[in-house]
Amino acid sequence: MRCVPPQNKPLPVEINTCRQFLVATMAAMTNVRAILALGRIAHESTLPALGLRRAAHPFGHGAVHEIGGGRRLYDSYHCSRYNTNTGVLTPDMFRSVFAKIRAGLG
């Protein structure tokens, strides 16, 4: 059995409900230096959870955003079956994002 939202996109109410948990989780993680957003929805939910404007930090696979406090937000296309089966996200593309994170952490 496979359970995904219609068109693989959660409803805005679902995203907003989850964001409350994201805000609380990030507030509890005081030593975080890197955040990986898997997909545009994660990216666009993380920014307001951090009090940041989406327009100032556009999503892009492989993009790195300075988000204050010595932290960075790293973007990747979501590793869904659709993205990997269609070649939107390849294993090399995914590995390169983790290489950026590793390099950024020193």
Side-chain angles (χ1 to χ4, degrees), residues 8 10 22 26 35 37 42 48-49 60 63 67 71 73 87 95 97:
N8 281 336
L22 178 61
M26 288 192 301
I35 299 170
I67 56 174
R71 300 171 300 174
L73 173 63
R95 281 191 287 270
V97 171

Side-chain angles (χ1 to χ4, degrees), residues 3-79:
C3 182
V4 296
Q7 286 103 31
N8 281 336
K9 294 182 181 177
L11 297 172
V13 68
E14 294 170 315
I15 294 168
N16 291 332
T17 298
C18 288
R19 188 174 306 123
Q20 297 170 25
F21 295 101
L22 178 61
V23 168
T25 300
M26 288 192 301
M29 301 175 98
T30 58
N31 295 324
V32 170
R33 294 174 31 215
I35 299 170
L36 172 60
L38 292 176
R40 181 179 303 274
I41 293 172
H43 171 88
E44 290 182 354
S45 193
T46 300
L47 292 171
L50 293 168
L52 300 171
R53 293 181 53 241
R54 291 178 183 142
H57 307 280
F59 175 81
H61 177 79
V64 181
H65 309 275
E66 299 291 334
I67 56 174
R71 300 171 300 174
R72 291 186 179 116
L73 173 63
Y74 296 83
D75 293 340
S76 175
Y77 292 133
H78 191 279
C79 47

